[in-house]
Amino acid sequence: MKIHEYQAKALMADRGIAVPIGRVAATVAEAVAAVRPLIEESGNPVVVVKSQIHAGGRGKGRFKEHPDVGGVNVVTDGIEGGVGAAEERVRELASQMLGSTLVTIQTGEEGKEVNRLYIEQGIDIATELYLSVLLDRATSRNIVMASTEGGTEIEVVAEETPDKILREEIDPAFGLLPFQARHIAYTLGLEGDAFKNGVRFLDALTKAAVELDTDLVEINPLVVTTDGAVMALDGKMSFEANALYRHPEVAELRDMSEE
């Protein structure tokens, strides 16, 4: 079972995993109303408007009805025009995106209708990385996969530069060991505060994967900010169907319209 990005990030935040501040919107009015609180809370005049569908490649995707509009849009109007300018741009984007059909590399030509948006604070990004926790059914163990090639589909990285993918198998009896977390953080090039934050992030993420019985947690990109924070800029989660009886709160997140 898959869930939306905003739902995955809520589950992460509840477990101490750093995510940007965001608000979900099902209407144009809700999208506009989210802008001012986000800017005031984050102190960043940039906001991001994200389509919420069960498919990857949203950033490069385009709407059938509005080919010039992407599935993910960075709104910078607030930098010079203030909150009001940002609100007007979000109003314009939301009116075009909601109810329209987004076509991505994963949806096929038929695309998917967008019925929800996620309005999120802008982030000052220093580095983009890739991180996932994947259930290997052959060994019945979770594997951490990490790469410095954040923002790129992992299938492309595996095909073109497989040497840039790090894999660490987790022993279920012990969880991710401290030396494994340090090794991953070091291999990703993290230093100073980013290194410490990265180790904590890895520990929290792998524990969440076990607690929630996920078969995939994918963060692409995982970002390091200019002040050394490590944060999930995107978030994808899918769950082992046979374990959902243990997680009624997760089962309630199921969106049948996406299936």
Side-chain angles (χ1 to χ4, degrees), residues 18-211:
V19 299
I21 306 166
R23 287 174 170 78
V24 66
T27 67
V28 174
E30 288 176 353
V32 174
V35 175
R36 186 176 297 273
L38 283 179
I39 291 177
E40 291 178 349
E41 187 173 352
S42 68
N44 190 333
V46 177
V47 295
V48 185
V49 183
K50 297 182 169 185
S51 304
Q52 296 297 287
I53 59 172
H54 288 180
R58 292 170 297 158
K60 295 179 181 179
R62 289 294 182 269
F63 287 93
K64 284 185 177 181
E65 299 85 352
H66 307 282
D68 58 331
V69 179
V72 176
N73 298 278
V74 180
V75 176
T76 59
D77 300 59
I79 296 176
E80 295 184 359
V83 176
E87 288 175 330
E88 285 309 305
R89 178 55 178 157
V90 170
R91 186 188 307 277
E92 178 185 7
L93 285 169
S95 64
Q96 294 173 322
M97 297 166 72
L98 285 170
S100 296
T101 307
L102 180 61
V103 179
T104 79
I105 192 171
Q106 291 189 10
T107 65
E109 293 185 2
E110 68 275 11
K112 283 195 172 184
E113 183 176 307
V114 174
N115 296 309
R116 294 179 186 81
L117 302 175
Y118 194 49
I119 317 300
E120 193 170 68
Q121 71 172 109
I123 299 295
D124 296 320
I125 300 171
T127 308
E128 293 189 0
L129 306 167
Y130 173 91
L131 181 66
S132 66
V133 182
L134 172 70
L135 175 61
D136 182 352
R137 296 187 181 277
T139 62
S140 298
R141 293 186 174 194
N142 279 329
I143 294 177
V144 176
M145 294 179 60
S147 175
T148 55
E149 303 302 296
T152 303
E153 290 86 356
I154 196 63
E155 295 84 1
V156 175
V157 180
E159 181 178 349
E160 297 180 357
T161 52
D163 56 302
K164 292 187 177 181
I165 299 178
L166 170 68
R167 295 173 176 83
E168 282 282 349
E169 185 176 277
I170 302 175
D171 188 326
F174 301 103
L176 185 72
L177 295 170
F179 84 88
Q180 291 179 298
R182 292 193 297 269
H183 175 59
I184 295 169
Y186 176 79
T187 304
L188 291 175
L190 302 183
E191 299 177 340
D193 288 341
F195 182 89
K196 297 175 184 177
N197 291 331
V199 169
R200 284 194 289 267
F201 191 101
L202 283 159
D203 180 65
L205 188 70
T206 52
K207 286 178 178 176
V210 173
E211 178 192 344

